Amino acid sequence: MIWRMANRNLRASPLRLVLISLAIILGVGFVGGAFVLGDTINKAFDSLFAKVDAGVAVQVQGVASVSDSQRQPVPASLLPKIQAVDGVATAAGSIGGTATIVGTNGKAVGRAGPPTLGFGWVNDPSLNSLRLVSGRAPTAPNDVVIDTHTAATAKFALGQQVRVITPSGSGQYTLVGLVRFGTSDNLLGATLTGFTMPTAQRVFGLEGQYTRIGVTGNQGVLDSVLAHRVQAVLPSGYEAITGAAATRQATDQFNSIIGLLRDVLLVFAGISLFVGAFIIFNSFSITIAQRTRQVGLLRAVGASRGSVVGEVVLEALIIGVVASAIGVGFGILVAIGLEKLFDLIGASLPRAPIQVQARTVIISMGVGILVTLAAALRPAIHASRIPPIAAMREVTEAGTRSLRRLVIAIAVTALGVGLVLVGLFSGLGNPYALLGLGALLLFIGAALLTGQIARPLASVIGAPFVWIGRVPARLGRQNAMRNPTRTAQTATALTIGVALVAAATIFASSLYATFAGQLDARLLAQVAVQATNQQPFTPAAAAAITGAPGIVAVSPLREGEVRDTHRDVQTVGGVNPATILELYNPGLKQGSLRDLAQPGTIAVQEDYAKSNHLTVGSTLPMFFAKTGVQPLRVAAIFSDSTLGHFFISLSDYERNFSTQQDTIVLARGADGMSPQKAKQSVSAALAAYPNVTVLTKSEYKDQVNSQINQLLYLVYTLLGLAIIIAVFGIVNTLALSIFERTREIGLLRAVGMSRWSTRLMILWEAIIVALIGGVVGLVLGAFIGIVIVERVSLITTLAVPWGSLIVFFVLAGVAGVIAAILPARRAARLNVLDAIQAE
Amino acid sequence: MATTEPSIDQAAAARIEDGVKIYGAGDAEIRALDGVTRAFPAGRFTAIMGPSGSGKSTLMHCMAGLDRLTSGTTWIGEVELSALGEKAVTGVRRDKVGFIFQAFNLLPTLTALENIRLPLDIAGRDVDQAWLDQVVTSLELEDRLRHRPGELSGGQQQRVAAARAFASQPAIVFADEPTGQLDSHSSAELLSFMRRAVDEFSQTIVMVTHDPNAASYSDDVVFLSDGKIVDELAAPTPTSILDRMKGLTAAER
């Protein structure tokens, strides 16, 4: 019986069914898509590295005493010892580093982000991760092989001369072969270059050393047994791990990036589902209000309260199950689409069949169904409270303002604000969980509060429209005001999207304002040199600038990781003590960066110095992967943190780190030289290094600004989903309201309202509801944005982008216009006679 | 069959000629109007009566521009409605026609005054304040103008609807069972006002009703049966109407 009722009710209004299903489908789709994409990429990398390392039984490498990036090279002298171990078939060293290929157009190949990898050619095919596709392996010192994808995009042919930039500088090589990484033609857009082993040792500054040594075992010897035996002959600081463990290490690096990507997608999927929940809640509330007489009749003829709840919950369950199932299917499409997107931007993923794991289906379906049920529960309980007498009564629109409701609304909002603040500032519990829960409560509280103030809000927001739009606008405004709870719930779906967009924008513009302010105050350099792909680059570039005409001060910033006495990993910057103060103002408190010229000294940022009770002259022991613990004497204490918290001299850096790569190079010309002139001089000196770009201070600011904006646009795109769902919500409410007001519309048309005016009436209502959502969203967004900016100590300047906020407000109105199109058409097309006579 | 046929030449507020309205097709075909011709002279109060399904509501809907004839023509004043498009018909309804329906005459979100002025506001026309005051006064609505429909009794609501119908001094007012949901006291109040609107202010009213008592307020009663005008009665009284109706049902047998 309740099954039949639920079924009937669902069929009664197909549009509503479609709209709320869409909300779930989109949300569940992104949950599913995040998992499917993550699993697929993981699988792809797992199988890629498993194949690449298939022949490796044991791998010998430096211990990650500080971090993975600081593993020390293995001395070539260990090779014979390893080869002598019982059970070892072959052993060979391999080398990896960065090598940038210069295209035929004179520009560096590759894009910002993916690494440019260089290798030494290993003759043992089972220990070589590169596979020859055509041509031959490098044999002469100037031979080079590159990956097929790079050769194709940069249009290189075998036999051609190729310029490659390595840590030791820029060199010409002959292209003798094309390779790929294992079975993959394109490794996330990375470029691959292979040299002969001696050349690789020379260009990567690793003479007599290898990055690691690969070992193959004799038949019948277990990898783990062999690893033990090899470990026994190694000096301390080196480890022997099985091939399987090496594969896991290689894939773990990628997997953590993929995991991050998945988590980001899941956060946005969660936001979409939350918005979807509002719409489901609202939709059920409205339909139950419309069915009051029907429910009353059911109760009058003897249906229990339980069966009324059961009917509504069953209805929700059917929607939840069907929509979630479709959502899972949609999620697979989302994953495929994102994969294609990676292809499109040139960062192709290794191929693997799409992975749809049971876990993905269970979580996606479960989340979708639970959200639907949770959102329908309150309306269901509300329905069960309808008394049998309601069957006889005329349906009245409930007055919803009461002190009790107001108090609850304020309490929930205050709790939300409190949790957000506690999460951000108290340091108690998990800040992300508290912030998330707080934001959730904040939005629910805002929905309740909006219900209390929707009438005056609609009245104020609608006032200018009534002036412009006359009778249709006045009627639209009155319709927006007549059921404040409904208006508030509909608007809140949009509020969430607008608030998050506003918060993200405030965060981004504060980040930029802080950065630009620091740059203005701290950066004395006129130009900055960076790699085109934003990766660290060869120190040869800095050397080339030194002595360029008119350039008087040059210093690179070379960054590496160490462990401090708390065993925390810290980043130390190597700088030129003689010139750095002409390029950068660190806000010296004690001592001077010039004093870093003294070997074994370090400059420390004020906050760290304070908490560790350091003054100039104190000793700060730091652990370096290459040289072990070094007792460094504090030579200076400074306040700024733009370029980092620790500085040492370049010569100390060279002594204590095995790789030398610059993050950025700063330079300035003589007094009176314009930044443009300085840039020209530096650019001319860097003609042989197309892998780097020279930026003036203002260009550098612009670049950072555009990088921040790119991230911001990505966030906008992902939040766009939540806003689309909110628009569905407005469409749904309008459609249900129009259905409810059929007779009113008929009457209006009878007494002479034109179709066009009828449309305008719906349009104005939608605009006013959307703008309520927009206004509340901007207020909440400003709050969230500002408290987060206050919390993040890195951001010191609060910048509120008024222009953008006004644009968001207008766009909220546009969302209302879009939402109104279909319902307004429907309303205008109602047959007057049918409408007047409608029950 | 028609006894006192008013001449078509006389100034008619509304006319219908050879009006045919067919619903459905084939076996399910229903001829709701089957060749109706009648002029409704200005300054008169005409009642249309007939049993359920006789076509009286259809006749009113087609004449008022709420529905279209299958064939035949209708006029409001000199405007031929059947020749106009949807938009123009809406304009005619707004500018020349007033409506009083049986129920749900008012927008719940508007006050009584706003409801009364609604057609004028939609048209963007100025209010003839003296006329509006006169209508409001004679309907005894002065104290109710700021109330919303939910705060008014059924009789008051119908009086507001009547005020709205007459506020724009339309060429003709169509009333569809206006007293159908009112008690006898409220009915009498409304009908007296309608009578006075015709007598004192020269308004024109066409009212569909099945209540002989209500019809007795009119100048002429038109009897409809099976989509045809079967009889007319001038200067009716409740008794004469009842007699005529009995005669009609007898004739059918």
Side-chain angles (χ1 to χ4, degrees):
Chain A
M1 170 38 207
I2 55 172
W3 171 265
R4 209 163 57 219
M5 286 289 306
N7 203 345
R8 289 265 162 80
N9 282 332
L10 283 174
R11 284 176 191 205
S13 168
L15 178 71
R16 157 181 170 259
L17 193 60
V18 167
L19 287 169
I20 56 181
S21 299
L22 270 177
I24 306 166
I25 290 169
L26 288 179
V28 169
F30 266 69
V31 172
F35 280 114
V36 170
L37 183 70
D39 292 342
T40 302
I41 299 175
N42 273 352
K43 174 78 183 170
F45 279 115
D46 284 351
S47 56
L48 176 67
F49 284 105
K51 272 182 203 145
V52 167
D53 294 343
V56 178
V58 172
Q59 179 170 304
V60 175
Q61 60 191 17
V63 174
S65 53
V66 171
S67 64
D68 265 332
S69 67
Q70 297 293 327
R71 287 182 192 277
Q72 293 305 298
V74 185
S77 56
L78 282 180
L79 199 52
K81 284 189 194 165
I82 294 167
Q83 277 161 338
V85 171
D86 183 29
V88 169
T90 59
S94 62
I95 281 197
T98 61
T100 309
I101 300 164
V102 180
T104 39
N105 58 2
K107 294 204 171 119
V109 178
R111 55 187 61 246
T116 56
L117 304 175
F119 297 89
W121 188 262
V122 180
N123 288 319
D124 185 341
S126 55
L127 294 175
N128 189 348
S129 47
L130 301 182
R131 303 275 186 278
L132 206 56
V133 177
S134 63
R136 60 174 177 82
T139 48
N142 278 339
D143 284 352
V144 78
V145 294
I146 65 174
D147 65 284
T148 51
H149 183 256
T150 302
T153 49
K155 300 192 177 64
F156 279 119
L158 291 183
Q160 229 173 317
Q161 291 294 300
V162 179
R163 177 182 289 281
V164 183
I165 298 159
T166 56
S168 60
S170 173
Q172 286 280 358
Y173 300 88
T174 310
L175 182 61
V176 297
L178 299 182
V179 296
R180 62 173 167 223
F181 191 80
T183 50
S184 175
D185 276 333
N186 183 349
L187 187 67
L188 277 170
T191 67
L192 311 177
T193 312
F195 306 94
T196 63
M197 194 56 78
T199 303
Q201 284 174 324
R202 183 173 54 75
V203 298
F204 294 125
L206 293 169
E207 278 95 346
Q209 294 175 310
Y210 295 112
T211 310
R212 60 183 76 86
I213 290 173
V215 176
T216 60
N218 286 330
Q219 202 113 53
V221 185
L222 279 177
D223 289 358
S224 52
V225 173
L226 195 60
H228 266 286
R229 291 187 199 156
V230 172
Q231 183 73 64
V233 304
L234 297 178
S236 74
Y238 300 95
E239 61 186 8
I241 57 173
T242 62
T247 303
R248 214 175 311 120
Q249 276 183 5
T251 53
D252 278 354
Q253 284 179 22
F254 284 98
N255 288 351
S256 64
I257 298 171
I258 300 309
L260 190 70
L261 174 75
R262 189 191 62 202
D263 291 350
V264 168
L265 284 176
L266 282 177
V267 165
F268 287 99
I271 293 169
S272 301
L273 277 171
F274 183 55
V275 174
F278 260 93
I279 286 164
I280 296 161
F281 175 80
N282 201 19
S283 178
F284 272 98
S285 298
I286 297 173
T287 40
I288 280 161
Q290 290 176 351
R291 276 187 224 151
T292 300
R293 289 179 85 157
Q294 184 195 327
V295 175
L297 185 65
L298 276 177
R299 297 275 285 123
V301 300
S304 68
R305 289 181 61 167
S307 67
V308 171
V309 174
E311 192 273 318
V312 178
V313 168
L314 184 64
E315 215 178 305
L317 187 69
I318 295 171
I319 296 177
V321 170
V322 173
S324 301
I326 299 172
V328 170
F330 176 63
I332 296 170
L333 292 181
V334 168
I336 293 173
L338 286 173
E339 222 183 18
K340 289 273 182 290
L341 195 69
F342 278 104
D343 280 350
L344 214 64
I345 61 171
S348 297
L349 300 164
R351 288 276 159 252
I354 286 288
Q355 299 289 307
V356 185
Q357 295 182 3
R359 178 262 274 135
T360 307
V361 177
I362 291 167
I363 292 181
S364 307
M365 295 273 304
V367 165
I369 294 168
L370 273 180
V371 165
T372 317
L373 286 182
L377 194 61
R378 224 191 89 86
I381 292 170
H382 187 79
S384 76
R385 294 205 180 125
I386 293 173
I389 191 75
M392 277 57 103
R393 277 203 306 239
E394 191 62 31
V395 182
T396 49
E397 282 172 25
T400 49
R401 267 167 65 176
S402 75
L403 191 63
R404 199 174 67 96
R405 278 168 180 266
L406 184 65
V407 169
I408 293 174
I410 292 173
V412 173
T413 312
L415 189 62
V417 170
L419 280 181
V420 166
L421 295 179
V422 166
L424 283 174
F425 296 102
S426 71
L428 300 170
N430 179 344
Y432 299 109
L434 285 172
L435 184 63
L437 190 65
L440 210 74
L441 285 175
L442 192 59
F443 287 126
I444 293 172
L448 297 172
L449 263 185
T450 309
Q452 300 297 311
I453 56 165
R455 259 195 196 132
L457 213 52
S459 174
V460 171
I461 291 175
F465 301 145
V466 170
W467 191 70
I468 305 168
R470 310 251 162 196
V471 177
R474 200 175 77 209
L475 294 172
R477 176 172 73 165
Q478 246 131 0
N479 284 338
M481 288 163 70
R482 72 202 285 178
N483 193 333
T485 311
R486 184 185 297 183
T487 297
Q489 282 160 9
T490 309
T492 301
L494 193 60
T495 293
I496 297 167
V498 172
L500 295 174
V501 163
T505 309
I506 289 173
F507 182 83
S509 53
S510 299
L511 183 64
Y512 174 69
T514 301
F515 175 81
Q518 279 173 346
L519 224 54
D520 283 335
R522 299 297 176 190
L523 201 67
L524 311 173
Q526 289 176 306
V527 297
V529 179
Q530 264 190 316
T532 48
N533 66 355
Q534 312 273 329
Q535 301 281 333
F537 54 94
T538 174
I545 308 169
T546 311
I551 300 300
V552 293
V554 177
S555 175
L557 175 67
R558 197 169 292 174
E559 291 176 314
E561 287 171 333
V562 299
R563 268 184 205 275
D564 66 8
T565 44
H566 313 290
R567 301 202 44 78
D568 291 331
V569 175
Q570 303 286 359
T571 299
V572 168
V575 294
N576 183 347
T579 56
I580 187 68
L581 287 178
E582 293 176 59
L583 302 163
Y584 168 61
N585 170 13
L588 286 169
K589 294 286 168 184
Q590 287 185 351
S592 169
L593 295 196
R594 269 188 213 93
D595 303 340
L596 291 176
Q598 201 74 33
T601 54
I602 187 165
V604 182
Q605 204 269 338
E606 198 175 18
D607 299 335
Y608 187 87
K610 268 194 193 128
S611 52
N612 289 278
H613 312 293
L614 299 172
T615 54
V616 165
S618 318
T619 302
L620 173 62
M622 286 288 196
F623 179 84
F624 292 83
K626 181 180 177 188
T627 53
V629 176
Q630 299 288 320
L632 300 174
R633 191 173 59 79
V634 176
I637 291 173
F638 57 94
S639 60
D640 185 52
S641 56
T642 314
L643 294 186
H645 293 74
F646 302 95
F647 295 114
I648 59 176
S649 70
L650 281 177
S651 41
D652 273 359
Y653 192 99
E654 279 159 18
R655 244 194 313 283
N656 289 306
F657 287 95
S658 36
T659 46
Q660 307 294 325
Q661 294 270 281
D662 294 343
T663 309
I664 190 167
V665 178
L666 304 174
R668 69 172 294 144
D671 285 347
M673 194 174 188
S674 74
Q676 280 307 322
K677 279 267 181 309
K679 179 183 172 176
Q680 278 166 19
S681 174
V682 169
S683 301
L686 287 172
Y689 299 93
N691 61 324
V692 297
T693 67
V694 184
L695 302 168
T696 63
K697 198 157 137 182
S698 65
E699 286 168 344
Y700 186 52
K701 273 196 267 186
D702 290 347
Q703 180 189 306
V704 171
N705 194 20
S706 75
Q707 283 167 352
I708 291 174
N709 281 339
Q710 268 177 23
L711 268 181
L712 193 59
Y713 294 149
L714 187 70
V715 170
Y716 286 170
T717 309
L718 291 168
L719 287 175
L721 184 69
I723 291 172
I724 289 172
I725 294 176
V727 170
F728 288 151
I730 301 177
V731 175
N732 192 29
T733 303
L734 286 178
L736 291 171
S737 297
I738 287 167
F739 173 72
E740 203 171 276
R741 299 176 197 151
T742 303
R743 290 218 288 185
E744 278 177 57
I745 293 165
L747 177 68
L748 280 167
R749 297 273 290 114
V751 302
M753 182 123 132
S754 66
R755 282 193 167 152
W756 180 242
S757 295
T758 310
R759 273 192 188 201
L760 287 178
M761 174 178 77
I762 309 292
L763 182 73
W764 288 119
E765 179 183 357
I767 291 176
I768 291 168
V769 170
L771 288 181
I772 290 175
V775 155
V776 178
L778 288 179
V779 171
L780 291 187
F783 167 73
I784 296 172
I786 289 170
V787 294
I788 290 178
V789 165
E790 287 303 319
R791 171 66 183 84
V792 178
S793 53
L794 241 126
I795 303 179
T796 52
T797 311
L798 174 68
V800 178
W802 294 107
S804 303
L805 298 187
I806 291 169
V807 169
F808 298 152
F809 182 70
V810 172
L811 286 179
V814 172
V817 173
I818 294 169
I821 294 173
L822 278 178
R825 233 167 89 116
R826 245 189 166 195
R829 294 226 172 147
L830 280 177
N831 180 296
V832 183
L833 207 52
D834 293 347
I836 302 172
Q837 293 167 336
E839 170 54 38
Chain B
M1 71 186 162
T3 47
T4 51
E5 176 79 21
S7 102
I8 287 239
D9 312 322
Q10 192 181 331
R15 276 191 292 147
I16 179 165
E17 258 178 43
D18 294 329
V20 174
K21 177 70 182 179
I22 300 170
Y23 292 114
D27 287 346
E29 183 181 292
I30 297 166
R31 285 182 161 259
L33 292 181
D34 194 1
V36 176
T37 301
R38 179 67 158 79
F40 295 86
R44 284 184 85 83
F45 186 167
T46 311
I48 302 174
M49 294 196 75
S52 312
S54 61
K56 57 185 193 295
S57 287
T58 307
L59 174 61
M60 194 209 95
H61 290 151
C62 290
M63 295 208 53
L66 292 171
D67 204 351
R68 279 180 185 278
L69 289 174
T70 309
S71 73
T73 46
T74 57
W75 286 266
I76 297 286
E78 290 309 307
V79 182
E80 189 190 336
L81 276 190
S82 32
L84 297 179
E86 150 68 30
K87 206 170 170 177
V89 169
T90 305
V92 170
R93 282 204 306 270
R94 190 181 62 204
D95 298 332
K96 300 211 148 96
V97 181
F99 286 98
I100 309 171
F101 297 104
Q102 181 175 10
F104 204 84
N105 264 300
L106 308 176
L107 285 195
T109 51
L110 300 183
T111 63
L113 180 62
E114 285 169 335
N115 265 295
I116 293 169
R117 293 179 44 155
L118 187 62
L120 290 166
D121 284 348
I122 290 174
R125 265 159 61 190
D126 284 335
V127 180
D128 180 344
Q129 194 60 47
W131 168 247
L132 190 69
D133 289 345
Q134 205 166 16
V135 170
V136 167
T137 314
S138 41
L139 283 163
E140 290 168 30
L141 287 169
E142 303 97 315
D143 304 337
R144 294 279 172 258
L145 291 178
R146 291 180 172 280
H147 293 244
R148 284 179 200 267
E151 299 157 349
L152 300 175
S153 71
Q156 287 168 340
Q157 289 187 25
Q158 283 306 77
R159 271 155 43 210
V160 172
R164 184 198 58 215
F166 290 103
S168 60
Q169 294 181 279
I172 187 165
V173 169
F174 289 99
D176 189 0
E177 304 269 12
T179 57
Q181 293 194 347
L182 298 184
D183 58 50
S184 53
H185 176 69
S186 302
S187 293
E189 273 184 349
L190 183 65
L191 290 162
S192 311
F193 169 75
M194 290 167 73
R195 186 65 250 169
R196 279 173 54 213
V198 174
D199 293 343
E200 295 173 23
F201 311 128
S202 314
Q203 296 293 302
T204 308
I205 300 176
V206 174
M207 173 176 74
V208 167
T209 185
H210 65 268
D211 174 9
N213 198 40
S216 70
Y217 282 80
S218 68
D219 295 315
D220 307 291
V221 181
V222 176
F223 292 93
L224 230 63
S225 181
D226 289 335
K228 292 184 172 118
I229 295 179
V230 291
D231 204 353
E232 300 215 9
L233 178 65
T237 65
T239 335
S240 65
I241 296 168
L242 267 177
D243 285 350
R244 202 58 71 88
M245 283 170 75
K246 276 178 197 151
L248 284 175
T249 19
E252 264 177 39
R253 289 190 190 126

